[in-house]
């Protein structure tokens, strides 16, 4: 007999990549019945891909959202709350910051729900674990535990699925009275999805809080280059002119220049991504050592944008990465780019989750909890 759809609510929904991932989960249908974000441009991108957004997407500051605004029967609540105050590249104000402090608004809504969703999934940067010496993560775990959730922490770099280095940590909460037999108590072993620092989090909090873990399969190897993710046919006008390319090359440090020259002289054409950095007050370009992209970011300035460098056979071409390439690197090859300006599209993807990562968590963690008969 076909199981009932898993009813999900998507907090900080952005352009809808969590929903994109959940709808790919094998064995059970996931139905997003409520979604929220504060930015109209993100809602427009979401609606261009999910026409039913008119029925359930609420454009509103989460501080104005009440538990009564959500429909009944939510089984899964996801929250990719802002990372800017937690990121090592941000201001490190932690959960007291204006942006990342929206975590508390999420917990406020969860507290008001009766019954609460059996499962919650939170996503943020690795910096969450070290913010204020670990005090912010401890406070977050404690607050979720008081809402009757048993908690697990995992860490996944998206490079296991797409050619982009994008490390993120996840908190999975399960209502304590609904823990399935497959979850374990105690200290989890060190694995690729639970490195030593995650194991240490479990060790630090498992006595005072309800913590659990679940055995997970190894993460896949992941692609090692950008083939299949780069747009081959783009307008010639997107490629930089000779003067701009020369300025790029002149800005390279000696180490970077050696890397550049090796690739330029190669017998095959290869791609590298590059960021502009400020070193000792001087703007410089830096190529990645490997063939994958750096972490895509929200476009807020020149240093946040990623350039694509094509090198080999004595030829060099450079341009900014396109929204389609950002979509591909976020695992959203089929995503429709129908709404917003190119810069808004880049911002939306830079602020999102990698589809393949959430799909993997959905298949290997969420589905066995919420619909165990679908995986047995």
């Amino acid at each position: 007999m076909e199981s009932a759809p898993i009813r999900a609510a998507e907090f900080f929904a952005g352009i809808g990549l969590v929903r994109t991932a959940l709808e790919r989960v094998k064995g059970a249908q996931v139905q997003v019945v409520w979604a929220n974000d504060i930015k109209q441009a993100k809602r427009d991108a979401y609606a261009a891909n999910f026409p039913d957004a008119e029925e359930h997407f609420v454009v509103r500051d989460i501080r104005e959202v009440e538990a009564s605004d959500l429909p009944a029967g939510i089984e899964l609540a996801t929250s990719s709350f802002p990372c800017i105050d937690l990121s090592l590249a941000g201001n490190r104000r932690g959960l007291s910051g204006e942006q990342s402090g929206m975590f508390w608004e999420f917990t406020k809504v969860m507290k008001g729900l009766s019954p609460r969703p059996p499962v919650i999934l939170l996503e943020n940067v690795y910096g969450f674990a070290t913010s204020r010496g670990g005090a912010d993560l401890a406070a977050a775990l404690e607050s979720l535990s008081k809402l009757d959730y048993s908690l697990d922490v995992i860490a996944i770099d998206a490079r296991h699925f797409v050619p982009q280095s994008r490390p993120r940590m996840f908190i999975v909460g399960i209502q304590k009275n609904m823990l399935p037999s497959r979850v374990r108590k105690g200290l989890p072993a060190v694995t690729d999805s639970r490195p030593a620092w995650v194991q240490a989090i479990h060790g630090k909090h498992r006595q005072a809080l309800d913590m659990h873990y679940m055995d997970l399969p190894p993460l896949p190897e992941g692609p090692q280059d950008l083939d299949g993710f780069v747009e081959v046919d783009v307008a010639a006008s997107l490629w930089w002119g000779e003067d701009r390319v020369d300025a790029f090359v002149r800005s390279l440090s000696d180490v970077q220049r050696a890397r550049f020259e090796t690739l330029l002289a190669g017998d095959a054409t290869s791609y590298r991504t590059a960021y502009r950095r400020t070193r000792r007050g001087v703007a410089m370009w830096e190529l990645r050592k490997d063939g994958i992209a750096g972490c895509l970011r929200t476009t807020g300035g020149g240093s946040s944008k990623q350039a694509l460098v094509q090198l080999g056979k004595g030829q060099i071409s450079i341009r900014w990465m396109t929204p389609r390439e950002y979509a591909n690197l976020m695992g959203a090859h089929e995503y429709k780019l129908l709404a917003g300006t190119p810069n808004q599209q880049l911002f939306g993807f830079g602020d999102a989750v990698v589809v393949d990562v959430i799909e993997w968590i959905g298949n290997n963690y969420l589905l066995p909890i919420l619909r165990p008969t679908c995986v047995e």
Side-chain angles (χ1 to χ4, degrees):
M1 188 169 92
E2 186 174 343
S3 62
I6 297 171
R7 290 169 60 82
E10 191 180 357
F11 289 78
F12 309 98
I15 62 175
L17 295 198
V18 168
R19 173 172 175 175
T20 301
L22 292 177
E23 291 189 349
R24 295 183 187 178
V25 171
K26 300 179 180 68
Q29 179 185 0
V30 179
Q31 181 183 12
V32 174
V33 296
W34 186 88
N36 164 256
D37 201 275
I38 195 173
K39 293 186 180 294
Q40 182 67 39
K42 289 183 177 180
R43 182 267 179 201
D44 292 343
Y46 184 109
N49 286 269
F50 304 107
D52 63 351
E54 189 68 32
E55 303 169 11
H56 70 264
F57 195 111
V58 179
V59 180
R60 189 181 306 162
D61 189 322
I62 192 172
R63 289 171 289 193
E64 299 173 1
V65 173
E66 301 292 340
S68 59
D69 296 330
L70 275 67
I74 301 295
E75 295 179 83
L76 170 66
T78 68
S79 175
S80 297
F81 63 99
C83 69
I84 189 169
D85 300 304
L86 299 169
S87 171
L88 297 178
N91 55 47
R92 298 294 274 175
R93 294 192 182 98
L95 293 183
S96 61
E98 183 177 356
Q99 299 297 319
S100 299
M102 293 301 102
F103 166 83
W104 302 115
E105 301 301 321
F106 168 75
T107 59
K108 179 200 73 175
V109 178
M110 290 298 102
K111 183 177 181 180
L113 289 175
S114 182
R116 296 188 182 110
V119 178
I120 56 175
L121 174 67
L122 288 80
E123 176 264 355
N124 218 285
V125 295
Y126 280 9
F128 189 12
T130 57
S131 177
R132 295 197 308 122
D136 281 325
L137 179 59
L141 294 175
E142 182 180 2
S143 69
L144 295 172
S145 182
K146 288 180 178 178
L147 296 178
D148 295 321
Y149 286 102
S150 177
L151 304 164
D152 188 8
V153 178
I154 58 176
I156 300 175
D157 190 331
R159 67 185 304 160
H160 287 278
F161 300 90
V162 296
Q164 179 198 171
S165 175
R166 194 179 186 87
R168 293 292 186 266
M169 63 176 289
F170 300 86
I171 298 173
V172 181
I174 307 174
Q175 282 286 292
K176 298 171 187 176
N177 62 354
M178 300 184 66
L179 286 173
S181 59
R182 68 180 65 215
V183 305
R184 301 171 180 266
K185 295 290 186 176
L187 195 66
V190 172
T191 64
D192 52 7
S193 57
R194 289 192 186 88
W197 64 268
V198 168
Q199 185 193 63
I201 291 171
H202 278 264
K204 180 179 180 180
H205 298 291
R206 66 192 182 100
Q207 297 297 331
L209 304 177
D210 284 285
M211 303 286 292
H212 73 268
Y213 69 94
M214 194 164 77
D215 292 330
L216 297 170
L219 295 169
E221 183 66 24
Q224 303 301 308
D225 56 51
L226 294 165
D227 288 348
F229 290 77
V230 169
E231 276 196 282
V232 178
D233 298 319
V234 298
S237 59
L238 293 180
W239 294 102
W240 294 356
E242 184 177 349
D243 290 346
R244 195 170 186 181
V245 171
D246 288 344
F248 175 97
V249 176
R250 288 195 305 271
S251 80
L252 298 174
S253 67
D254 291 343
V255 172
Q256 292 286 325
R257 178 67 66 93
R259 184 178 301 159
F260 170 86
E261 295 290 352
T262 299
L263 292 167
L264 182 64
D267 294 331
T269 298
S270 59
Y271 295 106
R272 287 293 186 273
T273 58
Y275 273 121
R276 191 166 58 213
R277 312 286 194 189
T278 300
R279 304 296 187 193
R280 298 178 182 176
V282 179
M284 306 176 69
W285 281 96
E286 295 183 358
L287 292 167
R288 278 189 66 91
K289 295 179 182 179
D290 53 25
I292 70 174
C295 185
L296 302 181
R297 306 175 187 174
T298 55
T299 50
S303 63
S304 67
K305 296 179 68 176
Q306 199 159 177
L308 181 72
V309 184
Q310 181 177 302
L311 289 164
K313 302 177 182 179
Q315 301 294 316
I316 176 174
S317 302
I318 309 176
R319 60 172 171 79
W320 295 116
M321 298 192 81
T322 66
R324 173 49 58 197
E325 288 165 341
Y326 268 48
N328 294 346
L329 288 169
M330 296 301 289
H333 292 264
E334 307 301 323
Y335 197 90
K336 301 180 183 70
L337 302 175
L338 301 176
T341 66
N343 203 54
Q344 287 173 327
Q345 293 167 352
L346 294 176
F347 189 100
F349 287 113
D351 203 28
V353 298
V354 172
V355 171
D356 305 72
V357 174
I358 301 299
E359 181 183 3
W360 186 88
I361 294 172
N363 283 322
N364 294 291
Y365 206 136
L366 305 180
L367 187 61
I369 296 170
L370 291 168
R371 293 293 184 275
T373 58
C374 293
V375 293
E376 292 177 351

